[in-house]
C-alpha cells in the first residue's frame, strides 16, 4: 500500500458537477462579475503561498459559517450595537482565522465589481480553491448567496460541534443541517490539513484510552495538563499540508488528534466509512466534493433577502 507521503501524488482529482439548485447557480456572476472566480482563486493561492495553514483556515470558515443559520457570511461580522457576533463563540474564539485574507479578497472583488459578489459566496469559492490548491478534489460551486444582516453567538455555541463530541452528538449536529453520516465522515476528512490548539486535544491525550500511547506521549510534551492552551499540533501528522486520505489512516491506528476525530473509528456505525476512505482515496474525494456542495446549500439567503456587504465585517 502506498504511504501517505506519496498518496497525494497519485490521487485522481474528483470533479463534481451537479444540477444547479433552483436559486443558486454556478453561472450566477457570469454577466455581472465574470472575473469574480479568477480573482478569488488568485488571491487564495497567493495567501496559501504566504502561509500554507491559511488554506485549512479558509475551508473551516465556510464550514463554521454554514452551520450557523446557513451559508450567509454571518461568521465574518464583528459585534455591533444590535448583536454579539459569532467570532467570540466558544468554537470560534481565538480559533477561527483568515478574516484578513477574506478582507483582501473582498476588496479586490469590489474593485472589479462593486456591490455584486457576496461575502458568503467568497467563503464558498475560497473553500473550494483552498482544497484544490492543497491537492484535494474540485467541485462546482453554486453561487448567488446573499449576506446576513445579523449574526448570533448563541447559535454558534449550539450549532457547531465541539472537538469533545462523541459520535451520536456529531451525527445529531450534522443531521440538523440535513447532512448524513456519510457526509459527516467525508467532511471530517478536511482535518487532513490544518492545526488544532492544545485546549482542543488536551482531554484526548490525557484521558482517552483509544489513543496510540506513543502518539499521546509525543503530544503531552507540548500540551501539558494546564497552560500552553494555544500551542498547536497537526491534525494530520503524516501530511499536514496535503489534502489526502491520511486522516483516515491515522484513525485506524488510534492517532486521531481530536476526541471527535477518533469517534469516527471507535467500533461503531462509521467505522466502515473510515476503512473505505482509507483504502479508496478517490471515493473519499468524490464523497467530500458532493458533501461540500450539499453543505454549501444550507439555507442560503437569496432574492431580496439579506444584502451584498461592501465590507464583510459590518452590515451596510
Amino acid at each position: 500500500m502506498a504511504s501517505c507521503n506519496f498518496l497525494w501524488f497519485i490521487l485522481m482529482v474528483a470533479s463534481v458537477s451537479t444540477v444547479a439548485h433552483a436559486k443558486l447557480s454556478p453561472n450566477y456572476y457570469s454577466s455581472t462579475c465574470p472575473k469574480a472566480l479568477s480573482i478569488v482563486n488568485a488571491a487564495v493561492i497567493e495567501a496559501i503561498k504566504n502561509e500554507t495553514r491559511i488554506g485549512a483556515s479558509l475551508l473551516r470558515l465556510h464550514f463554521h459559517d454554514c452551520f450557523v443559520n446557513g451559508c450567509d457570511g454571518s461568521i465574518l461580522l464583528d459585534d455591533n450595537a444590535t448583536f454579539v457576533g459569532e467570532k467570540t463563540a466558544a468554537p470560534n474564539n481565538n480559533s477561527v482565522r483568515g478574516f484578513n485574507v477574506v478582507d483582501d479578497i473582498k476588496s479586490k472583488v469590489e474593485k472589479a465589481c462593486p456591490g455584486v459578489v457576496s461575502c458568503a459566496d467568497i467563503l464558498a469559492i475560497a473553500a473550494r480553491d483552498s482544497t484544490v490548491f492543497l491537492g484535494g478534489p474540485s467541485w462546482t460551486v453554486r453561487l448567488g448567496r446573499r449576506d446576513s444582516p445579523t449574526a448570533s453567538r448563541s447559535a454558534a455555541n449550539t450549532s457547531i460541534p465541539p472537538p469533545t463530541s462523541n459520535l451520536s452528538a456529531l451525527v445529531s449536529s450534522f443531521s440538523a443541517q440535513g447532512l448524513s453520516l456519510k457526509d459527516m465522515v467525508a467532511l471530517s476528512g478536511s482535518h487532513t490539513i490544518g492545526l488544532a490548539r492544545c485546549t482542543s486535544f488536551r482531554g484526548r491525550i490525557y484521558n482517552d484510552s483509544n489513543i496510540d500511547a506513543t502518539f499521546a506521549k509525543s503530544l503531552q510534551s507540548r500540551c501539558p495538563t494546564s497552560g500552553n492552551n494555544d500551542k498547536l499540533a497537526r491534525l494530520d501528522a503524516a501530511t499536514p499540508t496535503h489534502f489526502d486520505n491520511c486522516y483516515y489512516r491515522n484513525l485506524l491506528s488510534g492517532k486521531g488528534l481530536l476526541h471527535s476525530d477518533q469517534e469516527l473509528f471507535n467500533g461503531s456505525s462509521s467505522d466502515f466509512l473510515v476503512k473505505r476512505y482509507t483504502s479508496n482515496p478517490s471515493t473519499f474525494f468524490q464523497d467530500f466534493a458532493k458533501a461540500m456542495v450539499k453543505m454549501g446549500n444550507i439555507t442560503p439567503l437569496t432574492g431580496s433577502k439579506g444584502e451584498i456587504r461592501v465590507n464583510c465585517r459590518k452590515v451596510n
Side-chain angles (χ1 to χ4, degrees):
M1 185 179 289
S3 74
C4 288
N5 292 309
F6 296 101
L7 255 176
W8 64 269
F9 185 74
I10 61 172
L11 289 177
M12 287 173 47
V13 174
S15 179
V16 175
S17 296
T18 54
V19 177
H21 185 267
K23 293 180 180 178
L24 299 183
S25 165
N27 305 314
Y28 189 81
Y29 298 114
S30 60
S31 60
T32 56
C33 193
K35 294 184 178 179
L37 273 73
S38 61
I39 292 171
V40 175
N41 181 255
V44 166
I45 291 173
E46 180 184 2
I48 296 175
K49 285 182 176 178
N50 184 55
E51 185 203 18
T52 308
R53 183 189 176 197
I54 205 68
S57 301
L58 292 171
L59 178 55
R60 187 166 180 246
L61 270 178
H62 182 45
F63 165 58
H64 281 220
D65 181 39
C66 291
F67 263 56
V68 184
N69 298 321
C71 310
D72 59 4
S74 58
I75 193 171
L76 303 173
L77 288 170
D78 291 335
D79 297 351
N80 64 24
T82 60
F83 62 78
V84 177
E86 298 162 25
K87 291 181 178 179
T88 55
N92 298 333
N93 195 33
N94 298 318
S95 180
V96 290
R97 56 197 301 277
F99 298 110
N100 291 338
V101 173
V102 175
D103 290 340
D104 177 62
I105 296 172
K106 179 62 171 174
S107 66
K108 290 174 178 175
V109 173
E110 282 295 304
K111 187 175 292 185
C113 318
V116 174
V117 181
S118 69
C119 300
D121 276 347
I122 287 174
L123 289 182
I125 300 165
R128 188 270 311 274
D129 291 352
S130 295
T131 301
V132 172
F133 188 73
L134 293 174
S138 185
W139 59 92
T140 300
V141 180
R142 302 171 183 177
L143 302 166
R145 301 168 189 81
R146 289 169 64 84
D147 297 322
S148 173
T150 189
S152 172
R153 182 168 66 178
S154 60
N157 278 326
T158 58
S159 300
I160 301 170
T164 53
S165 300
N166 61 25
L167 184 62
S168 63
L170 290 170
V171 170
S172 295
S173 178
F174 278 73
S175 178
Q177 306 293 344
L179 298 169
S180 67
L181 175 70
K182 184 169 76 170
D183 295 329
M184 186 264 288
V185 177
L187 290 171
S188 296
S190 62
H191 285 180
T192 181
I193 54 175
L195 306 170
R197 298 162 64 223
C198 166
T199 185
S200 296
F201 60 84
R202 177 180 284 121
R204 163 113 174 104
I205 63 174
Y206 287 102
N207 302 326
D208 285 5
S209 58
N210 60 346
I211 187 170
D212 178 86
T214 303
F215 176 65
K217 190 171 183 178
S218 70
L219 291 165
Q220 288 169 0
S221 63
R222 73 180 72 176
C223 181
T225 53
S226 63
N228 280 9
N229 282 352
D230 294 327
K231 195 74 172 179
L232 300 170
R234 300 166 173 177
L235 283 161
D236 171 5
T239 56
T241 59
H242 278 291
F243 196 101
D244 56 27
N245 69 335
C246 289
Y247 166 79
Y248 300 104
R249 192 164 301 184
N250 295 337
L251 300 184
L252 294 185
S253 56
K255 295 178 181 178
L257 181 63
L258 306 179
H259 178 82
S260 55
D261 288 330
Q262 197 61 53
E263 279 291 292
L264 303 186
F265 189 76
N266 194 29
S268 54
S269 59
S270 56
D271 284 17
F272 80 100
L273 287 165
V274 173
K275 291 178 181 177
R276 178 184 296 173
Y277 295 153
T278 299
S279 61
N280 196 334
S282 63
T283 298
F284 162 50
F285 272 29
Q286 290 163 6
D287 288 353
F288 180 83
K290 290 176 183 176
M292 285 298 294
V293 172
K294 195 172 175 181
M295 185 184 78
N297 199 43
I298 297 174
T299 55
L301 298 175
T302 57
S304 61
K305 297 177 181 177
E307 63 181 14
I308 304 298
R309 280 185 227 135
V310 175
N311 179 339
C312 291
R313 294 175 181 261
K314 60 184 182 181
V315 178
N316 291 344

